[in-house]
PDB file of all heavy atoms in Angstrom:
ATOM      1  N   THR A 909     103.279  10.362 147.104  1.00 91.00           N
ATOM      2  CA  THR A 909     103.333   9.355 146.034  1.00 91.00           C
ATOM      3  C   THR A 909     103.091   9.984 144.665  1.00 91.00           C
ATOM      4  O   THR A 909     102.927   9.291 143.668  1.00 91.00           O
ATOM      5  CB  THR A 909     102.261   8.268 146.281  1.00 91.00           C
ATOM      6  OG1 THR A 909     101.001   8.944 146.486  1.00 91.00           O
ATOM      7  CG2 THR A 909     102.602   7.422 147.484  1.00 91.00           C
ATOM      8  N   GLY A 910     103.055  11.320 144.620  1.00 88.00           N
ATOM      9  CA  GLY A 910     102.728  12.021 143.364  1.00 88.00           C
ATOM     10  C   GLY A 910     103.809  11.964 142.296  1.00 88.00           C
ATOM     11  O   GLY A 910     103.546  12.227 141.124  1.00 88.00           O
ATOM     12  N   GLY A 911     105.057  11.614 142.673  1.00 85.00           N
ATOM     13  CA  GLY A 911     106.145  11.557 141.697  1.00 85.00           C
ATOM     14  C   GLY A 911     106.250  12.857 140.925  1.00 85.00           C
ATOM     15  O   GLY A 911     106.152  13.944 141.491  1.00 85.00           O
ATOM     16  N   LEU A 912     106.395  12.735 139.600  1.00 79.00           N
ATOM     17  CA  LEU A 912     106.651  13.940 138.812  1.00 79.00           C
ATOM     18  C   LEU A 912     105.453  14.881 138.710  1.00 79.00           C
ATOM     19  O   LEU A 912     105.612  16.040 138.328  1.00 79.00           O
ATOM     20  CB  LEU A 912     107.156  13.552 137.423  1.00 79.00           C
ATOM     21  CG  LEU A 912     108.566  12.951 137.422  1.00 79.00           C
ATOM     22  CD1 LEU A 912     108.983  12.549 136.022  1.00 79.00           C
ATOM     23  CD2 LEU A 912     109.578  13.906 138.016  1.00 79.00           C
ATOM     24  N   ILE A 913     104.235  14.371 139.043  1.00 87.00           N
ATOM     25  CA  ILE A 913     103.110  15.309 138.980  1.00 87.00           C
ATOM     26  C   ILE A 913     103.143  16.281 140.164  1.00 87.00           C
ATOM     27  O   ILE A 913     102.453  17.290 140.172  1.00 87.00           O
ATOM     28  CB  ILE A 913     101.718  14.620 138.925  1.00 87.00           C
ATOM     29  CG1 ILE A 913     101.444  13.896 140.249  1.00 87.00           C
ATOM     30  CG2 ILE A 913     101.553  13.712 137.725  1.00 87.00           C
ATOM     31  CD1 ILE A 913      99.969  13.888 140.582  1.00 87.00           C
ATOM     32  N   CYS A 914     103.961  15.974 141.156  1.00 93.00           N
ATOM     33  CA  CYS A 914     104.041  16.862 142.324  1.00 93.00           C
ATOM     34  C   CYS A 914     105.037  17.990 142.031  1.00 93.00           C
ATOM     35  O   CYS A 914     106.220  17.743 141.814  1.00 93.00           O
ATOM     36  CB  CYS A 914     104.480  16.066 143.548  1.00 93.00           C
ATOM     37  SG  CYS A 914     104.673  17.114 145.001  1.00 93.00           S
ATOM     38  N   ASP A 915     104.528  19.219 142.022  1.00 93.00           N
ATOM     39  CA  ASP A 915     105.378  20.367 141.701  1.00 93.00           C
ATOM     40  C   ASP A 915     106.555  20.495 142.666  1.00 93.00           C
ATOM     41  O   ASP A 915     107.657  20.859 142.271  1.00 93.00           O
ATOM     42  CB  ASP A 915     104.561  21.666 141.745  1.00 93.00           C
ATOM     43  CG  ASP A 915     103.840  21.888 140.421  1.00 93.00           C
ATOM     44  OD1 ASP A 915     104.142  21.138 139.454  1.00 93.00           O
ATOM     45  OD2 ASP A 915     102.978  22.782 140.364  1.00 93.00           O
ATOM     46  N   ALA A 916     106.298  20.202 143.932  1.00 93.00           N
ATOM     47  CA  ALA A 916     107.370  20.352 144.921  1.00 93.00           C
ATOM     48  C   ALA A 916     108.516  19.401 144.597  1.00 93.00           C
ATOM     49  O   ALA A 916     109.686  19.782 144.602  1.00 93.00           O
ATOM     50  CB  ALA A 916     106.834  20.074 146.315  1.00 93.00           C
ATOM     51  N   GLN A 917     108.172  18.150 144.268  1.00 93.00           N
ATOM     52  CA  GLN A 917     109.228  17.181 143.938  1.00 93.00           C
ATOM     53  C   GLN A 917     109.956  17.582 142.672  1.00 93.00           C
ATOM     54  O   GLN A 917     111.165  17.463 142.558  1.00 93.00           O
ATOM     55  CB  GLN A 917     108.631  15.784 143.749  1.00 93.00           C
ATOM     56  CG  GLN A 917     108.227  15.148 145.052  1.00 93.00           C
ATOM     57  CD  GLN A 917     107.842  13.681 144.858  1.00 93.00           C
ATOM     58  OE1 GLN A 917     108.563  12.908 144.270  1.00 93.00           O
ATOM     59  NE2 GLN A 917     106.688  13.314 145.354  1.00 93.00           N
ATOM     60  N   ALA A 918     109.154  18.064 141.688  1.00 94.00           N
ATOM     61  CA  ALA A 918     109.757  18.446 140.405  1.00 94.00           C
ATOM     62  C   ALA A 918     110.764  19.579 140.624  1.00 94.00           C
ATOM     63  O   ALA A 918     111.893  19.526 140.111  1.00 94.00           O
ATOM     64  CB  ALA A 918     108.665  18.868 139.419  1.00 94.00           C
ATOM     65  N   VAL A 919     110.387  20.586 141.412  1.00 94.00           N
ATOM     66  CA  VAL A 919     111.294  21.723 141.628  1.00 94.00           C
ATOM     67  C   VAL A 919     112.535  21.275 142.388  1.00 94.00           C
ATOM     68  O   VAL A 919     113.664  21.624 142.026  1.00 94.00           O
ATOM     69  CB  VAL A 919     110.587  22.861 142.416  1.00 94.00           C
ATOM     70  CG1 VAL A 919     111.573  23.922 142.837  1.00 94.00           C
ATOM     71  CG2 VAL A 919     109.492  23.477 141.570  1.00 94.00           C
ATOM     72  N   GLU A 920     112.347  20.449 143.404  1.00 93.00           N
ATOM     73  CA  GLU A 920     113.505  19.988 144.172  1.00 93.00           C
ATOM     74  C   GLU A 920     114.442  19.155 143.300  1.00 93.00           C
ATOM     75  O   GLU A 920     115.647  19.227 143.405  1.00 93.00           O
ATOM     76  CB  GLU A 920     113.068  19.179 145.401  1.00 93.00           C
ATOM     77  CG  GLU A 920     112.444  20.015 146.500  1.00 93.00           C
ATOM     78  CD  GLU A 920     113.311  21.197 146.910  1.00 93.00           C
ATOM     79  OE1 GLU A 920     114.528  21.026 147.088  1.00 93.00           O
ATOM     80  OE2 GLU A 920     112.774  22.315 147.040  1.00 93.00           O
ATOM     81  N   LYS A 921     113.850  18.346 142.424  1.00 94.00           N
ATOM     82  CA  LYS A 921     114.682  17.535 141.526  1.00 94.00           C
ATOM     83  C   LYS A 921     115.494  18.445 140.603  1.00 94.00           C
ATOM     84  O   LYS A 921     116.666  18.209 140.340  1.00 94.00           O
ATOM     85  CB  LYS A 921     113.796  16.610 140.686  1.00 94.00           C
ATOM     86  CG  LYS A 921     113.715  15.204 141.262  1.00 94.00           C
ATOM     87  CD  LYS A 921     113.050  14.273 140.260  1.00 94.00           C
ATOM     88  CE  LYS A 921     112.902  12.861 140.778  1.00 94.00           C
ATOM     89  NZ  LYS A 921     114.064  12.075 140.947  1.00 94.00           N
ATOM     90  N   LEU A 922     114.816  19.500 140.116  1.00 95.00           N
ATOM     91  CA  LEU A 922     115.512  20.438 139.225  1.00 95.00           C
ATOM     92  C   LEU A 922     116.629  21.165 139.980  1.00 95.00           C
ATOM     93  O   LEU A 922     117.726  21.339 139.454  1.00 95.00           O
ATOM     94  CB  LEU A 922     114.520  21.464 138.663  1.00 95.00           C
ATOM     95  CG  LEU A 922     113.609  20.938 137.549  1.00 95.00           C
ATOM     96  CD1 LEU A 922     112.444  21.893 137.302  1.00 95.00           C
ATOM     97  CD2 LEU A 922     114.401  20.739 136.255  1.00 95.00           C
ATOM     98  N   ARG A 923     116.334  21.577 141.206  1.00 94.00           N
ATOM     99  CA  ARG A 923     117.356  22.275 141.998  1.00 94.00           C
ATOM    100  C   ARG A 923     118.560  21.371 142.196  1.00 94.00           C
ATOM    101  O   ARG A 923     119.697  21.795 142.105  1.00 94.00           O
ATOM    102  CB  ARG A 923     116.796  22.661 143.373  1.00 94.00           C
ATOM    103  CG  ARG A 923     115.877  23.855 143.328  1.00 94.00           C
ATOM    104  CD  ARG A 923     115.181  24.014 144.641  1.00 94.00           C
ATOM    105  NE  ARG A 923     116.154  24.245 145.701  1.00 94.00           N
ATOM    106  CZ  ARG A 923     116.066  25.229 146.580  1.00 94.00           C
ATOM    107  NH1 ARG A 923     115.056  26.060 146.513  1.00 94.00           N
ATOM    108  NH2 ARG A 923     116.959  25.379 147.507  1.00 94.00           N
ATOM    109  N   HIS A 924     118.291  20.109 142.491  1.00 95.00           N
ATOM    110  CA  HIS A 924     119.380  19.154 142.688  1.00 95.00           C
ATOM    111  C   HIS A 924     120.147  18.972 141.370  1.00 95.00           C
ATOM    112  O   HIS A 924     121.377  18.933 141.347  1.00 95.00           O
ATOM    113  CB  HIS A 924     118.808  17.819 143.156  1.00 95.00           C
ATOM    114  CG  HIS A 924     119.816  16.719 143.220  1.00 95.00           C
ATOM    115  ND1 HIS A 924     120.690  16.577 144.273  1.00 95.00           N
ATOM    116  CD2 HIS A 924     120.114  15.725 142.344  1.00 95.00           C
ATOM    117  CE1 HIS A 924     121.474  15.552 144.048  1.00 95.00           C
ATOM    118  NE2 HIS A 924     121.145  15.005 142.883  1.00 95.00           N
ATOM    119  N   PHE A 925     119.395  18.890 140.280  1.00 96.00           N
ATOM    120  CA  PHE A 925     120.003  18.639 138.976  1.00 96.00           C
ATOM    121  C   PHE A 925     121.026  19.716 138.604  1.00 96.00           C
ATOM    122  O   PHE A 925     122.081  19.428 138.055  1.00 96.00           O
ATOM    123  CB  PHE A 925     118.893  18.584 137.909  1.00 96.00           C
ATOM    124  CG  PHE A 925     119.383  18.199 136.553  1.00 96.00           C
ATOM    125  CD1 PHE A 925     119.554  16.879 136.215  1.00 96.00           C
ATOM    126  CD2 PHE A 925     119.680  19.165 135.603  1.00 96.00           C
ATOM    127  CE1 PHE A 925     120.023  16.513 134.962  1.00 96.00           C
ATOM    128  CE2 PHE A 925     120.148  18.818 134.346  1.00 96.00           C
ATOM    129  CZ  PHE A 925     120.321  17.480 134.028  1.00 96.00           C
ATOM    130  N   VAL A 926     120.695  20.978 138.930  1.00 94.00           N
ATOM    131  CA  VAL A 926     121.625  22.050 138.534  1.00 94.00           C
ATOM    132  C   VAL A 926     122.646  22.364 139.631  1.00 94.00           C
ATOM    133  O   VAL A 926     123.485  23.231 139.453  1.00 94.00           O
ATOM    134  CB  VAL A 926     120.879  23.360 138.152  1.00 94.00           C
ATOM    135  CG1 VAL A 926     119.968  23.137 136.974  1.00 94.00           C
ATOM    136  CG2 VAL A 926     120.100  23.929 139.333  1.00 94.00           C
ATOM    137  N   SER A 927     122.601  21.646 140.753  1.00 92.00           N
ATOM    138  CA  SER A 927     123.482  21.991 141.875  1.00 92.00           C
ATOM    139  C   SER A 927     124.944  21.753 141.485  1.00 92.00           C
ATOM    140  O   SER A 927     125.251  21.112 140.487  1.00 92.00           O
ATOM    141  CB  SER A 927     123.117  21.169 143.107  1.00 92.00           C
ATOM    142  OG  SER A 927     123.379  19.809 142.847  1.00 92.00           O
ATOM    143  N   ARG A 928     125.814  22.276 142.351  1.00 87.00           N
ATOM    144  CA  ARG A 928     127.243  22.268 142.018  1.00 87.00           C
ATOM    145  C   ARG A 928     127.809  20.885 141.755  1.00 87.00           C
ATOM    146  O   ARG A 928     128.548  20.679 140.817  1.00 87.00           O
ATOM    147  CB  ARG A 928     128.031  22.903 143.144  1.00 87.00           C
ATOM    148  CG  ARG A 928     127.991  24.393 143.032  1.00 87.00           C
ATOM    149  CD  ARG A 928     129.125  24.961 143.818  1.00 87.00           C
ATOM    150  NE  ARG A 928     129.193  26.389 143.563  1.00 87.00           N
ATOM    151  CZ  ARG A 928     129.706  27.248 144.417  1.00 87.00           C
ATOM    152  NH1 ARG A 928     130.192  26.840 145.546  1.00 87.00           N
ATOM    153  NH2 ARG A 928     129.745  28.522 144.115  1.00 87.00           N
ATOM    154  N   ALA A 929     127.458  19.923 142.609  1.00 87.00           N
ATOM    155  CA  ALA A 929     128.045  18.586 142.447  1.00 87.00           C
ATOM    156  C   ALA A 929     127.387  17.838 141.289  1.00 87.00           C
ATOM    157  O   ALA A 929     127.861  16.788 140.889  1.00 87.00           O
ATOM    158  CB  ALA A 929     127.877  17.798 143.728  1.00 87.00           C
ATOM    159  N   ALA A 930     126.271  18.386 140.743  1.00 93.00           N
ATOM    160  CA  ALA A 930     125.607  17.717 139.621  1.00 93.00           C
ATOM    161  C   ALA A 930     125.957  18.472 138.329  1.00 93.00           C
ATOM    162  O   ALA A 930     127.125  18.597 137.999  1.00 93.00           O
ATOM    163  CB  ALA A 930     124.113  17.655 139.884  1.00 93.00           C
ATOM    164  N   PHE A 931     124.972  19.021 137.624  1.00 94.00           N
ATOM    165  CA  PHE A 931     125.280  19.627 136.321  1.00 94.00           C
ATOM    166  C   PHE A 931     125.978  20.984 136.421  1.00 94.00           C
ATOM    167  O   PHE A 931     126.645  21.398 135.490  1.00 94.00           O
ATOM    168  CB  PHE A 931     124.009  19.712 135.458  1.00 94.00           C
ATOM    169  CG  PHE A 931     123.857  18.519 134.562  1.00 94.00           C
ATOM    170  CD1 PHE A 931     123.580  17.273 135.117  1.00 94.00           C
ATOM    171  CD2 PHE A 931     124.036  18.592 133.192  1.00 94.00           C
ATOM    172  CE1 PHE A 931     123.468  16.148 134.324  1.00 94.00           C
ATOM    173  CE2 PHE A 931     123.939  17.475 132.390  1.00 94.00           C
ATOM    174  CZ  PHE A 931     123.649  16.244 132.953  1.00 94.00           C
ATOM    175  N   ASP A 932     125.769  21.686 137.520  1.00 92.00           N
ATOM    176  CA  ASP A 932     126.502  22.930 137.779  1.00 92.00           C
ATOM    177  C   ASP A 932     126.500  23.861 136.556  1.00 92.00           C
ATOM    178  O   ASP A 932     127.553  24.161 135.995  1.00 92.00           O
ATOM    179  CB  ASP A 932     127.951  22.570 138.190  1.00 92.00           C
ATOM    180  CG  ASP A 932     128.688  23.781 138.718  1.00 92.00           C
ATOM    181  OD1 ASP A 932     128.020  24.747 139.120  1.00 92.00           O
ATOM    182  OD2 ASP A 932     129.931  23.764 138.709  1.00 92.00           O
ATOM    183  N   ILE A 933     125.296  24.269 136.156  1.00 92.00           N
ATOM    184  CA  ILE A 933     125.192  25.124 134.965  1.00 92.00           C
ATOM    185  C   ILE A 933     125.347  26.580 135.386  1.00 92.00           C
ATOM    186  O   ILE A 933     124.565  27.080 136.196  1.00 92.00           O
ATOM    187  CB  ILE A 933     123.829  24.907 134.255  1.00 92.00           C
ATOM    188  CG1 ILE A 933     123.729  23.454 133.809  1.00 92.00           C
ATOM    189  CG2 ILE A 933     123.660  25.880 133.096  1.00 92.00           C
ATOM    190  CD1 ILE A 933     122.381  23.067 133.260  1.00 92.00           C
ATOM    191  N   GLU A 934     126.354  27.225 134.858  1.00 89.00           N
ATOM    192  CA  GLU A 934     126.616  28.613 135.253  1.00 89.00           C
ATOM    193  C   GLU A 934     125.421  29.503 134.888  1.00 89.00           C
ATOM    194  O   GLU A 934     124.902  29.433 133.764  1.00 89.00           O
ATOM    195  CB  GLU A 934     127.886  29.094 134.544  1.00 89.00           C
ATOM    196  CG  GLU A 934     128.198  30.511 134.870  1.00 89.00           C
ATOM    197  CD  GLU A 934     129.674  30.735 135.149  1.00 89.00           C
ATOM    198  OE1 GLU A 934     130.477  29.878 134.765  1.00 89.00           O
ATOM    199  OE2 GLU A 934     129.968  31.781 135.756  1.00 89.00           O
ATOM    200  N   GLY A 935     124.962  30.285 135.817  1.00 88.00           N
ATOM    201  CA  GLY A 935     123.834  31.191 135.542  1.00 88.00           C
ATOM    202  C   GLY A 935     122.493  30.521 135.774  1.00 88.00           C
ATOM    203  O   GLY A 935     121.446  31.127 135.591  1.00 88.00           O
ATOM    204  N   MET A 936     122.516  29.235 136.136  1.00 90.00           N
ATOM    205  CA  MET A 936     121.256  28.547 136.375  1.00 90.00           C
ATOM    206  C   MET A 936     121.317  27.877 137.751  1.00 90.00           C
ATOM    207  O   MET A 936     121.641  26.704 137.879  1.00 90.00           O
ATOM    208  CB  MET A 936     121.043  27.492 135.297  1.00 90.00           C
ATOM    209  CG  MET A 936     119.680  26.863 135.361  1.00 90.00           C
ATOM    210  SD  MET A 936     119.116  26.771 133.696  1.00 90.00           S
ATOM    211  CE  MET A 936     117.439  26.546 133.822  1.00 90.00           C
ATOM    212  N   GLY A 937     121.024  28.651 138.759  1.00 90.00           N
ATOM    213  CA  GLY A 937     121.054  28.128 140.118  1.00 90.00           C
ATOM    214  C   GLY A 937     119.647  27.817 140.574  1.00 90.00           C
ATOM    215  O   GLY A 937     118.693  27.804 139.775  1.00 90.00           O
ATOM    216  N   ALA A 938     119.535  27.580 141.890  1.00 90.00           N
ATOM    217  CA  ALA A 938     118.245  27.210 142.466  1.00 90.00           C
ATOM    218  C   ALA A 938     117.184  28.272 142.156  1.00 90.00           C
ATOM    219  O   ALA A 938     116.045  27.946 141.803  1.00 90.00           O
ATOM    220  CB  ALA A 938     118.410  27.044 143.972  1.00 90.00           C
ATOM    221  N   LYS A 939     117.580  29.537 142.271  1.00 89.00           N
ATOM    222  CA  LYS A 939     116.613  30.631 142.089  1.00 89.00           C
ATOM    223  C   LYS A 939     116.036  30.608 140.662  1.00 89.00           C
ATOM    224  O   LYS A 939     114.833  30.710 140.452  1.00 89.00           O
ATOM    225  CB  LYS A 939     117.338  31.961 142.343  1.00 89.00           C
ATOM    226  CG  LYS A 939     116.459  33.003 142.988  1.00 89.00           C
ATOM    227  CD  LYS A 939     117.248  34.233 143.328  1.00 89.00           C
ATOM    228  CE  LYS A 939     117.351  35.138 142.105  1.00 89.00           C
ATOM    229  NZ  LYS A 939     118.392  36.156 142.230  1.00 89.00           N
ATOM    230  N   GLN A 940     116.935  30.451 139.691  1.00 89.00           N
ATOM    231  CA  GLN A 940     116.494  30.481 138.299  1.00 89.00           C
ATOM    232  C   GLN A 940     115.600  29.285 137.968  1.00 89.00           C
ATOM    233  O   GLN A 940     114.580  29.460 137.302  1.00 89.00           O
ATOM    234  CB  GLN A 940     117.689  30.498 137.342  1.00 89.00           C
ATOM    235  CG  GLN A 940     118.418  31.832 137.285  1.00 89.00           C
ATOM    236  CD  GLN A 940     119.377  32.020 138.451  1.00 89.00           C
ATOM    237  OE1 GLN A 940     119.646  31.082 139.197  1.00 89.00           O
ATOM    238  NE2 GLN A 940     119.874  33.222 138.629  1.00 89.00           N
ATOM    239  N   VAL A 941     115.979  28.073 138.420  1.00 92.00           N
ATOM    240  CA  VAL A 941     115.124  26.936 138.064  1.00 92.00           C
ATOM    241  C   VAL A 941     113.744  27.075 138.701  1.00 92.00           C
ATOM    242  O   VAL A 941     112.742  26.721 138.087  1.00 92.00           O
ATOM    243  CB  VAL A 941     115.707  25.540 138.383  1.00 92.00           C
ATOM    244  CG1 VAL A 941     116.757  25.141 137.407  1.00 92.00           C
ATOM    245  CG2 VAL A 941     116.179  25.391 139.785  1.00 92.00           C
ATOM    246  N   GLU A 942     113.717  27.633 139.906  1.00 92.00           N
ATOM    247  CA  GLU A 942     112.412  27.832 140.552  1.00 92.00           C
ATOM    248  C   GLU A 942     111.560  28.771 139.715  1.00 92.00           C
ATOM    249  O   GLU A 942     110.382  28.536 139.473  1.00 92.00           O
ATOM    250  CB  GLU A 942     112.605  28.450 141.936  1.00 92.00           C
ATOM    251  CG  GLU A 942     112.664  27.422 143.027  1.00 92.00           C
ATOM    252  CD  GLU A 942     113.129  28.019 144.338  1.00 92.00           C
ATOM    253  OE1 GLU A 942     112.670  29.102 144.715  1.00 92.00           O
ATOM    254  OE2 GLU A 942     113.988  27.383 144.964  1.00 92.00           O
TER     255      GLU A 942
END
Side-chain angles (χ1 to χ4, degrees):
T909 52
L912 290 178
I913 67 148
C914 177
D915 276 350
Q917 286 189 51
V919 170
E920 288 308 315
K921 262 191 182 291
L922 284 166
R923 284 170 61 130
H924 173 80
F925 186 83
V926 299
S927 65
R928 279 200 172 154
F931 267 69
D932 191 20
I933 299 173
E934 179 137 18
M936 188 137 198
K939 214 175 84 196
Q940 286 80 11
V941 284
E942 266 169 44

